[in-house]
Amino acid sequence: MHLHNIELHDFGAYRGRQSLDLSVQPGRPIILIGGLNGCGKTTLLDAIQLVLYGPRARCSGRGSRSYDSYLRESINRKANPAEGAEITLEFSIIVDGQERHYRVVRSWHLNGKQLKEQLSVLVDGQFDRILSDGWPDHVEDILPLEVASLFFFDGEKIESLADPERAAAVIESAVHSLLGVSTVEQLRTDLLALQRRQRLSNEDQAVIDQINAQEADHEAAKQDVFDRTQMLASTRSRCDRIQVHLDKVEKSFERAGGKLFERQKELEGDRAAIADRLAAQRHTLRSLAQGPLPLLMLPQQLATLRDQAAREKEADDATRVVGVLEERDAWLLDQLPASVTPAARTALKKKLTTDRIRRESAAELKQSLELPTDMLQQLSALNEALSRDASRARELLKESAATVDHLDDADRLLAGVPDKKLIKDLVDERNEAMDELAVAKAELRRGEEQLEEARSRRDRIGADLERAQQKRVKTLIEMEELNRIVAYADKARETLEKFGAALLRRHISRLEVAVLQSFKALMRKSGLIHDLRIDTDKFNLTLADSDGEPIDPGRLSAGERQLLAISLLWGLAKVAGNRLPSVIDTPLGRLDSRHRQHLADRYFPNAGRQVLLLSTDEEIDENLLGRLKPSLAHTYTLVHDDTTFTTTVEAGYWWTAGVPHVA
C-alpha cells in the first residue's frame, strides 16, 4: 500500500482545504511533518484512520463519545456546519499484478439537527458504487483495522509497548492479525458455526437459511461478475500492449532476414528438390544420347545411305525379273493376233527389248554395300525415332535450363539467410514475445470463459433465488449428508488447530530474530541484550544477557524500554514484509541524544517503504534533520494561529536551509 495524498477540509483545527503530498521515491521514504504540541499532528493521524475506517477508527480524540458526537465536534469551529468537513485520501495498491489507484472521500455535515455522512470511493478515476456501499468490508481486505493500529502509532502506543506486561497483549494481537494466525482461528470458528447450523432441524429455519444463503451467493456472484469484467479488461489491454511489442520485434526480425532464417530448412529442401529434378532431367538427356539421337549429327550420311538402299533395292528387283523377261517377251509376241501389222509387231518388240536392256543395266551396280532388303523400312523407322527423340530432347533442354535458373534463385535465397549467431537475440526476443502473447491470449480466453461462467452462475442463482422466494418450498435435509459435513468439519478443525500452532511457532521464531536485530541496531549499549524470546502461550517477552541469564525489564531505563517497544514494531514490520506505510507520532520523548541519533540513522530510513514522521521541534531538531535529509521525500510544518485556533500546512520544516520541500 502506498499513500499518495491527503486533503483535510475544515477537519478539527485544519481550516479550509489543507493538502499534503505523501508520495515517496526509492531511497527517500520519509515525509517529515513538524508541529508544536496542539497544532494537529495527532489530528492528522486520526484523519487517516477516520477516512478509512469511519465509526471503527481508533481516533485518539474520540474517547468515549459516540461516533455521531465525534464527527459533529470534528467540524472546524470557524466552518459552516451545514457545509461540514471532508477528508480525502489517495493511495494505490497492487491487485493481481496491476496497480490500482484509490481515492476515498469521507464527508459529513449537519442538516438541521441531523448529521449526514457520505462516503465515495473512486478506483482508477471511476466512481465505484459497489465499493462505496461495501467499503467497511473491502477496506479489511486492503488493510485490516487490527493491522493498521500496528503501523499507525503515536507516543502512547510506544509507552504501552514499553511496559512488558502490556506488550504481551499487543504482541498477541499483532501475531494473530498481521501474520495471518487469526485467519486460521477464524476458519476454525467458521467451521464450528457450520457444524452448529447443520445440526438445526427446524424445517422452516432451514428454508430461511437457504434463502439467506442464496441471497448472499447472488450478491457474491454479481460482485464476481464485476471483478472478472475488470480483470478481463485489464488482460485485454495487456494483450494489446504485447501485440504492439511483438509487431515491432517482427519488423526488426524481418529486416534482419528472419523470414529467410525461419524458412532455411524449407529453402534447403526446395533446393535439394530442384537439384534432384535437374539431375533427373540430365539423366534422361544422357539416356537419349545413348540411343540413336547422335545420328542427327550425320544428316548427309543418312541421306546417302537412304539413296544407296534405294538403288540396291532396285537392282535386286531388276535381278529377280531380268531372267524371265526374254521368255515373257517372246510369249507376248506370240500372243499377238494375226491382224497386227508387221510394223506394229516390230515396234512392240523394240520397246520390250529396250525395257529389258534398262533393267539389265539397273541390275549392274558400280558399288554394292549388300544392305538388307528392308533397309528402307528401317531407315523410315529410324527417322521417326530421331524426330521423336529430338522433340523430347528439346523439351528436356528447355526444362533443364529453367531448372538451372530455379537452382540459381534457390542458391541466392540460401545465401541471404543470416547467420544464427547474428539473429539469435532477435529470435529469442521474438519467441519470448510470442510466448508471452500466447499466454496472455490463453489467459484472455480463460477470463472470457470464466466471465461467462460467472454470468451463468449469477443468472442461475438469481433464478433459484426467485423460485425459492416465490414458492418457499420446504425440503428435508438428509441426516447422512449432515453427519458427513459434521464429521469432515471436525477433521478440518483438528488439522487447522495443528496448522495454526505450527504457523504461530514459525512466526514467533522469525519475530524474535527481527526484534532482536532491530533492538541491537538501536541500542547504545550493544552488548546489553544477547538473546530475546517470546512465549507462544502468553506472548511474554523475555530478555537474556551473553551468559544466557534472564534480564529483568525493570533494569532497563525508560528510554531503553521505549527503544524495545520501537524494535518490536520494527520487527513486526520486517516480518510482515514492510509492505504497509508507517505513521509515527512523537517517537523520541524519553530518549537521550545517542539513541535519538540511532533512530534517525537506522530506524526511520528503514522503517518501511513509506514513513510519515510527526515530530516537534525538540524531537527532530536541526541536528537530526541533517541526518534525515538524504531520506526525506517531503517536509511540512503545521502552523497554528492562536487567535483563530486554526492550523494550516506549510511546505518545509523549521530549519529549511538545505532541506527542500520535495527532495
Side-chain angles (χ1 to χ4, degrees):
M1 183 178 186
H2 183 84
L3 304 179
H4 293 287
N5 185 274
I6 186 170
E7 183 178 280
L8 311 176
H9 182 211
D10 290 336
F11 175 67
Y14 292 90
R15 181 74 175 103
R17 292 191 179 275
Q18 306 293 326
S19 179
L20 291 89
D21 182 1
L22 305 180
S23 59
V24 298
Q25 306 166 0
R28 292 178 178 270
I30 299 177
I31 299 101
L32 177 59
I33 303 171
L36 300 178
N37 291 332
C39 287
K41 297 190 303 299
T42 304
T43 301
L44 182 61
L45 177 59
D46 290 343
I48 297 176
Q49 300 185 70
L50 179 61
V51 70
L52 290 175
Y53 302 105
R56 297 186 301 121
R58 298 170 181 175
C59 300
S60 60
R62 178 175 173 180
S64 59
R65 288 174 294 173
S66 67
Y67 181 62
D68 186 279
S69 298
Y70 175 69
L71 290 184
R72 290 173 184 268
E73 296 177 12
S74 294
I75 300 174
N76 186 272
R77 65 179 65 185
K78 298 294 183 181
N80 183 357
E83 296 180 0
E86 180 181 275
I87 306 173
T88 301
L89 180 66
E90 297 182 28
F91 61 92
S92 60
I93 60 174
I94 302 299
V95 180
D96 296 331
Q98 298 289 328
E99 186 178 45
R100 305 290 297 276
H101 189 277
Y102 284 72
R103 177 182 173 88
V104 183
V105 182
R106 187 181 295 274
S107 61
W108 59 95
H109 67 279
L110 292 179
N111 183 8
K113 294 184 178 181
Q114 290 186 340
L115 181 78
K116 300 291 185 180
E117 182 186 16
Q118 294 84 33
L119 176 70
S120 61
V121 180
L122 288 80
V123 181
D124 296 333
Q126 300 294 323
F127 174 70
D128 193 317
R129 180 172 299 279
I130 295 177
L131 282 186
S132 299
D133 295 339
W135 180 250
D137 294 329
H138 188 70
V139 73
E140 284 297 309
D141 295 332
I142 298 175
L143 180 60
L145 178 60
E146 292 297 329
V147 175
S149 66
L150 300 173
F151 286 84
F152 301 163
F153 55 89
D154 54 15
E156 293 182 2
K157 171 71 73 175
I158 296 176
E159 288 292 338
S160 65
L161 285 174
D163 183 351
E165 294 183 359
R166 298 173 65 186
V170 176
I171 295 173
E172 181 179 8
S173 174
V175 170
H176 281 81
S177 60
L178 181 60
L179 303 181
V181 177
S182 62
T183 303
V184 179
E185 291 298 323
Q186 185 61 46
L187 285 174
R188 295 182 67 240
T189 302
D190 292 344
L191 283 173
L192 182 59
L194 174 65
Q195 288 177 304
R196 290 172 178 173
R197 286 199 303 271
Q198 296 303 322
R199 292 192 178 101
L200 291 176
S201 59
N202 185 283
E203 185 178 346
D204 292 333
Q205 184 62 45
V207 172
I208 294 174
D209 290 343
Q210 180 185 6
I211 292 176
N212 291 337
Q214 287 177 328
E215 289 175 343
D217 289 345
H218 192 237
E219 289 299 321
K222 290 194 293 185
Q223 182 64 40
D224 188 37
V225 169
F226 175 79
D227 293 342
R228 293 190 183 281
T229 302
Q230 298 296 103
M231 293 172 59
L232 189 61
S234 175
T235 304
R236 187 174 287 110
S237 176
R238 181 157 58 90
C239 282
D240 293 340
R241 291 196 301 272
I242 297 173
Q243 184 65 60
V244 170
H245 174 64
L246 179 59
D247 292 341
K248 292 180 180 179
V249 175
E250 287 281 10
K251 290 180 180 178
S252 300
F253 182 72
E254 189 169 350
R255 286 194 297 267
K259 296 297 183 182
L260 292 176
F261 178 79
E262 282 187 327
R263 294 180 56 206
Q264 183 174 7
K265 291 185 178 180
E266 177 188 348
L267 293 175
E268 290 174 349
D270 291 345
R271 188 199 179 283
I274 294 171
D276 291 342
R277 187 164 66 250
L278 180 60
Q281 291 167 348
R282 290 177 174 174
H283 176 73
T284 304
L285 283 171
R286 286 193 294 271
S287 298
L288 288 174
Q290 292 173 0
L293 187 63
L295 293 176
L296 288 174
M297 302 172 64
L298 304 171
Q300 294 180 354
Q301 287 81 351
L302 287 175
T304 301
L305 180 61
R306 190 177 291 105
D307 293 342
Q308 179 67 25
R311 286 194 296 272
E312 288 191 9
K313 186 177 186 307
E314 185 179 3
D316 183 65
D317 292 343
T319 300
R320 293 176 182 273
V321 300
V322 72
V324 298
L325 285 178
E326 289 184 5
E327 296 179 2
R328 184 206 65 177
D329 292 345
W331 180 79
L332 280 173
L333 291 173
D334 291 341
Q335 298 300 318
L336 291 174
S339 59
V340 176
T341 65
R345 187 183 293 276
T346 301
L348 178 59
K349 183 177 180 182
K350 183 178 180 179
K351 287 182 179 182
L352 292 173
T353 302
T354 300
D355 178 64
R356 190 170 59 253
I357 292 172
R358 182 183 63 77
R359 292 181 181 273
E360 289 176 353
S361 175
E364 295 178 358
L365 291 175
K366 295 180 180 181
Q367 182 179 3
S368 175
L369 299 179
E370 298 182 357
L371 297 173
T373 57
D374 61 345
M375 178 56 71
L376 285 176
Q377 289 84 351
Q378 294 184 25
L379 289 175
S380 295
L382 176 62
N383 186 52
E384 292 178 2
L386 288 175
S387 177
R388 184 174 60 254
D389 289 353
S391 176
R392 176 60 177 155
R394 284 192 294 272
E395 292 177 359
L396 287 172
L397 287 172
K398 183 178 180 180
E399 291 176 0
S400 63
T403 304
V404 169
D405 292 339
H406 292 163
L407 187 61
D408 292 340
D409 293 341
D411 288 336
R412 282 193 294 273
L413 286 175
L414 283 172
V417 175
D419 185 76
K420 184 176 181 180
K421 294 181 180 178
L422 299 177
I423 203 171
K424 181 179 183 300
D425 291 341
L426 279 175
V427 172
D428 292 342
E429 185 178 3
R430 179 171 175 265
N431 290 339
E432 182 179 349
M434 292 175 68
D435 291 343
E436 188 177 358
L437 181 61
V439 171
K441 286 185 175 179
E443 184 178 343
L444 181 63
R445 288 192 297 272
R446 287 196 302 271
E448 291 172 344
E449 293 172 356
Q450 291 171 353
L451 176 59
E452 187 60 32
E453 291 175 359
R455 287 172 175 168
S456 299
R457 180 174 179 272
R458 177 199 59 192
D459 297 341
R460 185 175 64 253
I461 293 175
D464 292 343
L465 177 60
E466 184 177 357
R467 286 193 297 270
Q469 290 173 336
Q470 290 176 351
K471 298 180 180 179
R472 307 244 343 148
V473 177
K474 296 182 178 181
T475 58
L476 296 176
I477 302 174
E478 298 186 8
M479 287 302 299
E480 182 179 354
E481 180 67 14
L482 288 175
N483 293 335
R484 186 181 68 85
I485 293 175
V486 171
Y488 279 106
D490 282 335
K491 293 181 180 179
R493 291 182 65 243
E494 292 176 3
T495 303
L496 285 173
E497 183 176 4
K498 295 177 181 178
F499 175 74
L503 183 65
L504 178 62
R505 289 193 298 270
R506 179 174 180 271
H507 285 325
I508 288 294
S509 177
R510 294 173 58 206
L511 183 60
E512 290 171 344
V513 174
V515 174
L516 182 60
Q517 290 176 345
S518 302
F519 190 49
K520 287 184 176 181
L522 299 179
M523 279 290 291
R524 174 166 46 84
K525 303 174 184 178
S526 58
L528 177 62
I529 304 299
H530 184 73
D531 195 12
L532 181 148
R533 289 284 181 260
I534 299 175
D535 183 78
T536 56
D537 293 328
K538 299 181 179 180
F539 297 93
N540 292 327
L541 196 65
T542 303
L543 307 177
D545 58 19
S546 58
D547 296 327
E549 295 295 327
I551 297 177
D552 184 0
R555 289 175 49 190
L556 301 178
S557 66
E560 289 171 340
R561 288 197 300 272
Q562 189 173 8
L563 287 180
L564 180 59
I566 294 174
S567 300
L568 178 59
L569 294 171
W570 192 8
L572 285 168
K574 288 179 179 179
V575 174
N578 286 332
R579 65 184 185 274
L580 298 175
S582 295
V583 184
I584 307 172
D585 184 12
T586 59
L588 307 177
R590 298 186 178 184
L591 301 181
D592 58 29
S593 60
R594 180 67 63 84
H595 285 150
R596 292 188 180 198
Q597 291 176 4
H598 284 184
L599 283 178
D601 295 341
R602 303 174 185 178
Y603 173 51
F604 296 144
N606 302 299
R609 289 180 293 183
Q610 185 179 33
V611 179
L612 274 67
L613 188 57
L614 309 175
S615 174
T616 65
D617 57 342
E618 293 183 354
E619 290 179 315
I620 304 299
D621 55 17
E622 187 174 7
N623 173 50
L624 294 183
L625 179 65
R627 290 176 175 270
L628 291 175
K629 178 182 175 181
S631 301
L632 293 178
H634 305 281
T635 58
Y636 299 99
T637 301
L638 307 180
V639 180
H640 188 71
D641 188 336
D642 293 334
T643 60
T644 61
F645 301 101
T646 59
T647 297
T648 57
V649 179
E650 296 185 1
Y653 199 63
W654 280 287
W655 300 275
T656 57
V659 182
H661 169 47
V662 179

